[in-house]
Amino acid sequence: MNPIQSSTYQVYFDHSLQVLQDILQQGNYSKVFIITDENTGQFCLPVLQDKLPALDNFDIIEIPYGEENKNIDYCIGIWRMLLDFEADRNAVVINLGGGVVTDMGSFAASTYKRGIDFIQIPTTLLSQVDASVGGKTGIDIENVKNIIGTFALPQAVIICADFLKTLPERQIISGFAEVIKHGIIADAAYYQDIISLAHAKDISTAQIHASVAIKNKVVLEDPFEKGLRKILNFGHTIGHAVESWSLAHDSSPLLHGEAIAVGMICESYLAHMTGILEEEDFKTIVQDILKFFPKYKLKEGIENDLLAIMQHDKKNSAGNINFSLPNKIGNCLYNQVVSKDLMIESLAYYRSLNS
């Protein structure tokens, strides 16, 4: 499958992972570091080593699994490991993992000694279609996601579908939320193709390629999120708030995509109630999302908590909470301001849905 060109780097779809060996040889790096979490270290690193037996001269930096660990404390741990292993400015970091690993690993690399090279090898559906592509890095502070970060481009992104075989079903479904989002905001035909699948695990490499191409096209037009790129945040203003609340309060917190599914339903409600989105498209979106995502039991009385989290959203300006809202399936508007009462109403609408 042909690579996708993204500004100065390429996104490769390489079953053999041979392109990684080629990139490392061309870079003539002084040291190679592979960042994993406990899960990718156990399940994905062996896949990488099996496909590339010549890749044997590297050091591993392992971080704990989970969004709650994507913070400055563990990032300091990465920097310290790089220092302890005497990484110089000609070292390279390979981020082998999901969104937490690719977000924090790339942030650590982009700031260590003012920036060293890094390569993204996303191992979850979520990170393949979203987190690893676009040049955003980031860590969280308390319940505010990705509030500290940089724009930094990898040397390459290498997508290998074999890693998806290592995932539990829930992780596949979580990543599918971003796939659905790409269809809603940018490509109605792709949306219909995706929604016709019986299950998220049925997604093909060609469909993953198409999802990455949608995000890449948006990023190329607006690399620093001054305008159009904001549409990629559809579902994320409310979704991130729900995710942060769940991480802090639920014994089994929502995964990112599960929270974004909640956010897309609520924000589609905002679009419909403000007259942007026709009722037919609104009902279609809600019905299709519920086909793949079981309804989350959104607790009563947490509206003020969620609004407080949303107040810190990166898209906000002049004290307004800005949304990216679809005006039809296949297109999206950004910098949309709605009342707090309507935001609260959208949460009540979500609770009213049949599970």
Side-chain angles (χ1 to χ4, degrees):
M1 190 162 290
N2 292 333
I4 293 174
Q5 182 66 46
S6 185
S7 60
T8 62
Y9 68 95
Q10 288 190 311
V11 182
Y12 297 95
F13 295 79
D14 185 3
H15 174 76
S16 71
L17 296 174
Q18 180 58 47
V19 68
L20 174 62
Q21 193 70 54
D22 298 339
I23 292 168
L24 294 177
Q25 288 175 351
Q26 291 167 10
N28 193 29
Y29 293 107
S30 57
K31 288 180 179 289
V32 177
F33 297 88
I34 300 180
I35 298 181
T36 67
D37 62 28
E38 300 112 321
N39 290 340
T40 56
Q42 180 180 356
F43 298 108
C44 299
L45 186 57
V47 174
L48 178 62
Q49 291 176 296
D50 182 61
K51 288 179 174 293
L52 285 180
L55 181 65
D56 56 3
N57 187 22
F58 60 86
D59 293 300
I60 297 174
I61 300 176
E62 184 175 280
I63 61 175
Y65 169 80
E67 181 73 28
E68 64 274 17
N69 301 307
K70 197 177 80 175
N71 56 50
I72 190 64
D73 294 325
Y74 284 106
C75 190
I76 289 172
I78 295 173
W79 288 325
R80 283 178 173 158
M81 289 287 285
L82 291 171
L83 278 172
D84 289 346
F85 284 104
E86 301 180 344
D88 60 24
R89 295 189 73 178
N90 195 41
V92 65
V93 168
I94 299 171
N95 297 310
L96 181 70
V100 171
V101 170
T102 57
D103 279 354
M104 184 159 64
S106 55
F107 175 71
S110 72
T111 49
Y112 179 78
K113 295 195 173 182
R114 295 197 174 95
I116 61 175
D117 285 357
F118 64 94
I119 298 165
Q120 306 282 46
I121 305 184
T123 60
T124 65
L125 180 58
L126 177 68
S127 59
Q128 289 185 354
V129 301
D130 186 61
S132 67
V133 178
K136 278 186 178 181
T137 80
I139 56 173
D140 308 337
I141 292 182
E142 296 178 351
N143 61 356
V144 183
K145 285 177 60 66
N146 299 321
I147 198 65
I148 304 297
T150 61
F151 287 99
L153 300 177
Q155 296 304 110
V157 176
I158 305 171
I159 293 175
C160 175
D162 286 9
F163 289 123
L164 300 184
K165 299 173 185 176
T166 69
L167 294 177
E169 182 176 300
R170 187 182 174 196
Q171 283 282 355
I172 294 284
I173 296 171
S174 172
F176 200 67
E178 297 287 355
V179 175
I180 292 173
K181 180 198 75 177
H182 287 157
I184 292 173
I185 65 171
D187 193 324
Y190 178 69
Y191 177 80
Q192 293 302 327
D193 182 40
I194 286 299
I195 292 302
S196 68
L197 295 175
H199 194 283
K201 66 184 179 184
D202 297 330
I203 190 169
S204 67
T205 302
Q207 289 167 326
I208 293 172
H209 186 280
S211 190
V212 172
I214 289 170
K215 177 169 184 179
N216 186 60
K217 183 175 184 294
V218 173
V219 170
L220 286 176
E221 290 190 38
D222 178 24
F224 298 111
E225 202 170 13
K226 301 297 185 183
L228 181 67
R229 185 168 178 167
K230 294 178 183 180
I231 69 173
L232 294 169
N233 290 302
F234 167 57
H236 285 61
T237 302
I238 291 176
H240 271 168
V242 171
E243 181 182 7
S244 295
W245 191 94
S246 178
L247 282 167
H249 297 91
D250 288 340
S251 58
S252 178
L254 289 172
L255 298 177
H256 174 74
E258 294 168 339
I260 297 312
V262 177
M264 287 192 292
I265 289 176
C266 291
E267 294 180 24
S268 294
Y269 179 86
L270 298 180
H272 177 54
M273 295 304 293
T274 53
I276 296 171
L277 184 65
E278 294 290 340
E279 184 173 9
E280 182 178 354
D281 278 356
F282 166 55
K283 288 184 175 180
T284 296
I285 290 171
V286 173
Q287 177 183 317
D288 290 339
I289 291 174
L290 290 176
K291 170 185 172 182
F292 294 98
F293 291 88
K295 185 184 166 189
Y296 171 60
K297 190 173 182 180
L298 190 62
K299 189 175 179 181
E300 298 274 0
I302 65 170
E303 288 80 4
N304 288 335
D305 290 346
L306 297 180
L307 288 172
I309 297 170
M310 283 185 257
Q311 203 66 51
H312 294 291
D313 190 276
K314 299 184 297 299
K315 300 183 301 301
N316 296 347
S317 62
N320 293 319
I321 299 175
N322 285 335
F323 288 87
S324 296
L325 303 176
N327 59 337
K328 63 179 180 178
I329 293 175
N331 199 64
C332 191
L333 306 177
Y334 56 88
N335 291 345
Q336 301 297 301
V337 177
V338 302
S339 71
K340 291 184 179 179
D341 286 344
L342 190 55
M343 296 178 215
I344 293 171
E345 191 178 305
S346 75
L347 299 170
Y349 168 77
Y350 182 84
R351 289 192 190 98
S352 74
L353 293 169
N354 294 324
S355 55

